[in-house]
Amino acid sequence: QNSTETTQGNHHLLNSVAVETELGDFTNMAKESVIRILKEFEDDHIIEMQNQRIRIMDKDKLKLICNNG
């Protein structure tokens, strides 16, 4: 199943049954690495994970990481 994105206020939601697998395939990373990075992002309040959803809480910080590594 493919991910879908919706917007609620200032937050973006990603819905997927297998988001870790899809992100791993997209980034050519192992699922375990994706899970670890998502947990780090959650700990840093960049995203919020609940059920099978990822809520982007700090889009600017996420963009900064994407642009600067």
Side-chain angles (χ1 to χ4, degrees):
Q1 181 176 351
N2 292 333
S3 297
T4 58
E5 181 179 354
T6 58
T7 302
Q8 290 183 350
N10 292 331
H11 302 145
H12 297 270
L13 293 173
L14 298 173
N15 301 298
S16 179
V17 173
V19 70
E20 294 94 351
T21 301
E22 287 184 38
L23 286 172
D25 290 346
F26 182 72
T27 60
N28 199 28
M29 294 173 59
K31 180 180 175 181
E32 294 77 15
S33 296
V34 172
I35 292 169
R36 180 181 48 80
I37 291 169
L38 290 175
K39 178 68 174 133
E40 290 175 12
F41 285 177
E42 188 172 34
D43 291 346
D44 291 341
H45 306 286
I46 298 169
I47 64 169
E48 179 180 275
M49 294 172 36
Q50 189 173 36
N51 298 324
Q52 293 171 335
R53 292 180 153 191
I54 298 174
R55 181 185 304 262
I56 300 172
M57 304 300 291
D58 192 338
K59 187 176 179 181
D60 292 333
K61 193 169 186 179
L62 187 59
K63 282 183 177 181
L64 185 67
I65 291 168
C66 290
N67 291 331
N68 299 322

